[in-house]
Amino acid sequence: MEDDDISISPYEDGSWEWDDATNRLEFKSNINEETQTVPPDRVQASIIVKSLEFADSPDLYELLRFEKRYRRQIKDNGSDVVTLQDIKDVVLFSASAQFITIPIVKILHLPATERFLRALIFYCQYYLQVEETLSFRTLEKRLPSSNSVAYEKELSEDLQDLRFLITKEYSTMILGGDQFDKYHHMGVKKFLSASVRDGIFYETLFRLIIQIVWIALGRRSGKDIEVEISRLFKSDRFNFAEHKYNFRAAKNVKEQLLMSGRCVRRDRLLKTESPLINEIFCHRPIAYRMSGLGVVEYPHLNPRLKYFKRVLILPEEEFQALGITVGILGRSRKLFDPMLKETKQKRQPRIGSLSRKISKVSVSTTSVPTTLFPDIYLPKKSFVQEIGDELPGEIYSPKPIDTVQKMKWLGRVRRRLQRKREFEENLMRKRSILH
């Protein structure tokens, strides 16, 4: 089997036992027989959601092993700041080893995946900011006014634009474009759809993505992040996080519309699409340059689009100098331990930047949460689109991927697979000698 093949072994969850009746080895699955009436893809997906765990608090030995073997080393004269690669390293190290396959490692180290993850972290950070603002406005219990309606509309449009940044990368992923052709459900040659394999692969990937976003946002609001990411990528029927937490029941209809936008279509069967893909087909004014941000080099970008472009492709070392905040990316690594947990330091409490636009509420200073990173200030939206004399033809060179870290994780997976094969061969050899 080639390294790029995406496959889940049918003997992944169970053990081999000798059957005296048939005089041969038989595989005994650990999957509950009652679940066999459920389609295989649903069974495997639910198993992944339940059994993919993260050792977020390793012991001292594992922590030292991570620092020595897998933590990114700073190059000469390099800036010691947190990068997206650092977060991926922590997630790959702490995740259950059997779920980290060669294709998973490779897809996490693609330039398009880098842009996708940055856009998702940026969106979730702003989403939590807006959620905090709405909670303050609810406490105030003010009557609606023309200013408040305009302000809420502005927040909703900001969220829609940030979702579009995720959508343009996600659509490339599921269509097998760019470098994602090997991870398409019909493979490179597009002969036969492997829906079960595809479902297992992407269910694992999205579980890792949720962990990446959670760590990037300082390990806070885990349930909110899980529910919102699940809402973006899954229809209501397959949104396991919403079924588990039932978050929508705590929000009124108006708040749901503001946070989720008005681009969600309620189609059925084959026409069903995830809420994220619906952002592409939404009937609202969208700056056409947003579709190529981070890939196509557009001249004369307005401040808002230039800000988005920098979020997607700028090196993390330049974030703080330009006032860009994408979670803990660009923050000094000295503020964190090797697993990117914040070291205890005194920080000033604050009220969210969005909530500063409304009047202060009677909340004691000690009850206001502190933050690891500054708030997001988005440039104002401009409805004037400058059209050049000719279509842009230049494209940006993809942001270099850390091949050193990539090869470390590929080596770790290959060593685990080699040990597994040797163990199975030795087991079968011993069985044959005994019988």
Side-chain angles (χ1 to χ4, degrees):
M1 182 180 296
E2 297 182 3
D3 288 344
D4 286 340
D5 288 343
I6 305 171
S7 61
I8 301 294
S9 171
Y11 311 116
E12 192 72 30
D13 190 6
S15 60
W16 290 92
E17 298 179 7
W18 184 264
D19 191 340
D20 293 327
T22 59
N23 199 30
R24 64 179 183 181
L25 282 173
E26 296 287 349
F27 182 76
K28 303 296 183 182
S29 176
N30 291 333
I31 300 176
N32 192 337
E33 294 181 358
E34 295 178 358
T35 63
Q36 298 306 309
T37 57
V38 183
D41 54 341
R42 294 287 303 279
V43 172
Q44 294 285 0
S46 62
I47 290 173
I48 289 172
V49 172
K50 293 179 181 178
S51 57
L52 178 49
E53 298 178 349
F54 298 90
D56 201 45
S57 300
D59 56 30
L60 182 59
Y61 172 76
E62 289 294 313
L63 200 61
L64 293 174
R65 190 165 73 95
F66 173 72
E67 278 196 274
K68 182 178 180 180
R69 296 186 181 181
Y70 302 109
R71 196 185 189 197
R72 181 178 61 90
Q73 302 300 313
I74 306 301
K75 299 178 182 178
D76 295 337
N77 300 322
S79 300
D80 191 10
V81 299
V82 177
T83 65
L84 187 55
Q85 182 62 52
D86 292 329
I87 300 176
K88 289 188 287 188
D89 292 341
V90 171
V91 171
L92 289 173
F93 181 78
S94 60
S96 304
Q98 66 268 27
F99 292 100
I100 306 303
T101 62
I102 288 176
I104 286 290
V105 173
K106 287 188 174 182
I107 197 173
L108 284 175
H109 289 86
L110 294 178
T113 308
E114 187 95 357
R115 296 193 301 270
F116 170 75
L117 289 173
R118 284 190 180 199
L120 190 57
I121 295 168
F122 190 63
Y123 167 76
C124 286
Q125 180 182 346
Y126 194 73
Y127 177 89
L128 294 175
Q129 242 178 258
V130 173
E131 192 173 50
E132 181 184 355
T133 299
L134 295 180
S135 66
F136 277 105
R137 293 175 71 87
T138 302
L139 287 175
E140 284 191 317
K141 298 181 180 179
R142 294 196 304 176
L143 293 174
S145 65
S146 58
N147 290 336
S148 65
V149 171
Y151 176 58
E152 290 175 357
K153 181 181 179 183
E154 179 185 346
L155 295 182
S156 182
E157 290 178 350
D158 287 344
L159 288 171
Q160 286 179 319
D161 284 347
L162 298 189
R163 280 194 293 268
F164 189 85
L165 293 180
I166 309 170
T167 304
K168 74 184 188 68
E169 305 297 346
Y170 179 59
S171 59
T172 303
M173 181 187 296
I174 61 176
L175 290 174
D178 200 1
Q179 296 176 305
F180 292 110
D181 54 343
K182 295 178 181 179
Y183 311 101
H184 191 267
H185 69 96
M186 295 187 71
V188 178
K189 298 181 180 180
K190 308 294 189 294
F191 283 157
L192 182 64
S193 174
S195 59
V196 175
R197 181 191 67 184
D198 182 72
I200 296 169
F201 176 74
Y202 279 100
E203 192 68 46
T204 306
L205 178 63
F206 285 127
R207 183 66 187 87
L208 296 173
I209 286 173
I210 291 172
Q211 190 75 2
I212 289 172
V213 175
W214 178 63
I215 293 176
L217 296 181
R219 288 179 165 85
R220 68 186 182 98
S221 304
K223 290 182 180 179
D224 299 77
I225 292 170
E226 182 182 356
V227 170
E228 178 59 15
I229 292 179
S230 299
R231 185 194 70 81
L232 290 178
F233 295 103
K234 298 178 181 180
S235 59
D236 292 340
R237 183 184 294 270
F238 298 99
N239 189 347
F240 299 113
E242 178 61 34
H243 298 166
K244 181 167 60 174
Y245 300 121
N246 196 22
F247 264 34
R248 290 184 188 176
K251 295 181 179 180
N252 56 49
V253 177
K254 180 182 177 181
E255 186 177 336
Q256 288 185 36
L257 284 175
L258 192 153
M259 300 291 285
S260 60
R262 302 178 181 273
C263 298
V264 179
R265 301 189 315 192
R266 302 294 181 184
D267 293 330
R268 296 183 178 181
L269 300 179
L270 295 179
K271 293 184 179 180
T272 300
E273 293 167 340
S274 67
L276 194 62
I277 293 299
N278 286 331
E279 296 289 340
I280 294 180
F281 306 106
C282 189
H283 296 290
R284 68 181 185 91
I286 301 174
Y288 74 92
R289 289 185 175 94
M290 287 190 65
S291 300
L293 282 181
V295 180
V296 181
E297 189 172 354
Y298 294 110
H300 313 301
L301 289 177
N302 61 45
R304 185 180 179 90
L305 296 184
K306 190 177 295 184
Y307 186 94
F308 291 160
K309 181 198 73 173
R310 288 171 174 171
V311 167
L312 295 177
I313 65 173
L314 207 64
E316 292 89 345
E317 293 82 358
E318 302 179 26
F319 277 3
Q320 283 195 312
L322 294 173
I324 296 173
T325 170
V326 186
I328 63 174
L329 301 186
R331 302 284 289 172
S332 173
R333 287 208 301 186
K334 296 178 182 178
L335 300 174
F336 307 91
D337 68 5
M339 298 300 289
L340 295 181
K341 292 182 179 179
E342 182 192 13
T343 54
K344 294 183 179 180
Q345 295 181 4
K346 292 183 179 180
R347 291 184 283 109
Q348 294 296 325
R350 60 91 173 144
I351 296 178
S353 66
L354 293 174
S355 61
R356 293 193 189 105
K357 298 181 181 179
I358 59 178
S359 61
K360 294 183 179 179
V361 294
S362 57
V363 180
S364 63
T365 305
T366 55
S367 66
V368 179
T370 54
T371 182
L372 268 173
F373 37 81
D375 296 314
I376 295 174
Y377 293 89
L378 293 181
K380 291 292 182 180
K381 192 169 186 176
S382 173
F383 293 96
V384 178
Q385 299 194 44
E386 299 179 4
I387 300 179
D389 298 331
E390 58 183 16
L391 293 174
E394 299 294 328
I395 61 174
Y396 291 104
S397 299
K399 183 179 180 294
I401 296 298
D402 196 329
T403 54
V404 174
Q405 292 301 110
K406 176 183 175 181
M407 295 309 297
K408 285 181 181 180
W409 294 113
L410 288 176
R412 187 189 192 211
V413 174
R414 290 186 176 116
R415 287 193 297 272
R416 183 181 66 83
L417 294 176
Q418 179 63 28
R419 289 195 300 269
K420 183 179 178 181
R421 283 193 292 267
E422 291 175 354
F423 175 79
E424 291 177 349
E425 290 174 358
N426 291 335
L427 181 62
M428 295 186 69
R429 191 180 299 112
K430 290 178 181 179
R431 295 287 189 182
S432 61
I433 292 174
L434 292 174
H435 297 277

